Amino acid sequence: MFVNLVGGIEIAETATDLPLALALASSLRARALPASLAVYGELGLTGEVRPVAHGEERLRELVKFGFKSVILPRDNLPRTAPPDLLLLGVSSIQEALAAAFDTQLKP
């Protein structure tokens, strides 16, 4: 799949794969994801969610920006979660969809 970004922005960051997939699913389901949800992860061709670099740094920044929950690669889960941040580790796109749409995430 190819995605055309507004203004021709070029993205070299593989961590945008999973958020893009969930944004597309959100549009298809006509169901918005919570504004307090952050998502990152690389998607493989068979639907596996792969870890990305700097996972713990990303979490620290998300806390600073006030996010309340994060869907992230299971292999990026830290030993200790930051306080007040719900971490939902996933290993496949199916798990990510379930975490995003089938759980009670706070709006």
Side-chain angles (χ1 to χ4, degrees):
M1 167 176 39
F2 292 95
V3 176
N4 185 9
L5 299 169
V6 176
I9 299 171
E10 195 171 313
I11 297 179
E13 169 69 72
T14 60
T16 59
D17 293 351
L18 187 57
L20 179 58
L22 291 185
L24 290 170
S26 172
S27 177
L28 288 171
R29 294 176 184 214
R31 186 169 165 204
L33 293 170
S36 62
L37 172 67
V39 181
Y40 65 86
E42 179 181 357
L43 275 179
L45 292 176
T46 60
E48 75 274 12
V49 176
R50 299 178 183 157
V52 296
H54 313 294
E56 291 194 34
E57 290 174 37
R58 293 172 195 265
L59 292 176
R60 284 193 296 272
E61 291 300 315
L62 291 172
V63 169
K64 287 180 188 176
F65 283 102
F67 288 93
K68 300 297 179 196
S69 52
V70 182
I71 297 174
L72 69 158
R74 183 168 284 139
D75 290 340
N76 274 125
L77 283 170
R79 292 183 187 167
T80 306
D84 301 322
L85 191 60
L86 173 65
L87 301 181
L88 302 164
V90 298
S91 58
S92 68
I93 185 65
Q94 293 85 359
E95 290 178 11
L97 289 167
F101 296 105
D102 299 339
T103 61
Q104 296 299 321
L105 295 173
K106 294 180 181 178

